[in-house]
Amino acid sequence: MKSPEASILVVDDEREITELISLYLEKEGFAVYTSDNGAEALRIADTLIPDLIVLDVSIGKMDGIELCRTLRQGACADVPIVFLSCKSEDRDIIRGLSEGGDDYITKPFSPSQLVARIQAHLRRRRTRERSAEDSAGSLQFPGLEIDLRRLEVRLDSGVVPLSAKEFELLSVLARQPYRVFPLEELYRRVWHSESMGDTRTLMVHISNLRKKLEADPAHPQWVQTVRGFGYRFSPNNGCEEASPPASG
């Protein structure tokens, strides 16, 4: 089962492990990002907000369990985390899961088994997200409301007249605030087909959306660009200063 719309962050200080995991995940269509230390992993996670994190227990100065604890306090609070470890003692498994891990697999492991675990966690997460969306009538943020039933967007200044595609584009971004969406994924989600490498239509719609939504379209606050990667929705009206995450 391929998941071209899912991004995975792999954190391990053993290059052979990250290369092996990346190889198998990329074969399944995942976008894979790697890091060998906690500080860099936090930067990537805060920028990208991946769909799932594969995290080794021992990664140097900041161990994986400490990193997991930090991740759970930020934007990745709900992102599934699968721990990797050479240790099989019960206390390590219990410690990792008690600090916010969702699953645990010991080294050496079967790459196909890890892929199956990842796919299972992603399916469960998507099911929860769909249930939440079905029960939600609107997405509300300070100064902005996206009414999913009436298909209306309201700023403090009043209703914003959006086209159907502009509304769908904003809704996709706003359902997962701060998550960076690659151009290809946004195109698939809104136009329900492959872009075949031509994402100009998407960029034109982003430009039009900003003209209607932003106080200063040249310095967008709601719909931000992550240079070299894609777009994200920022409900805190931050400045457009994001850098692209490192790709493995």
Side-chain angles (χ1 to χ4, degrees), residues 165-228:
K165 287 299 184 189
E166 290 165 357
F167 181 88
E168 190 172 357
L169 184 57
L170 179 61
S171 299
V172 168
L173 291 165
R175 282 188 172 103
Q176 298 184 63
Y178 305 110
R179 183 194 163 189
V180 182
F181 285 85
L183 300 182
E184 289 290 344
E185 178 181 349
L186 266 181
Y187 193 95
R188 282 194 300 269
R189 290 199 176 204
V190 177
W191 279 269
H192 309 290
S193 66
E194 299 295 330
S195 73
M196 306 303 290
D198 186 357
T199 54
R200 288 174 295 181
T201 297
L202 169 63
M203 290 186 283
V204 168
H205 278 77
I206 288 285
S207 177
N208 291 338
L209 177 60
R210 285 171 168 168
K211 289 175 183 176
K212 297 176 180 180
L213 194 66
E214 305 284 359
D216 182 1
H219 300 87
Q221 297 181 321
W222 291 106
V223 179
Q224 300 178 350
T225 300
V226 179
R227 293 175 181 85

Side-chain angles (χ1 to χ4, degrees), residues 14 29 33 48 61 89 92 102 130 139 153 170 214 247:
E14 294 184 60
Y33 299 85
L48 178 66
K61 293 182 179 179
E89 292 86 358
D92 296 302
D102 296 277
R130 282 195 296 267
L139 303 172
V153 173
L170 179 61
E214 305 284 359
S247 177

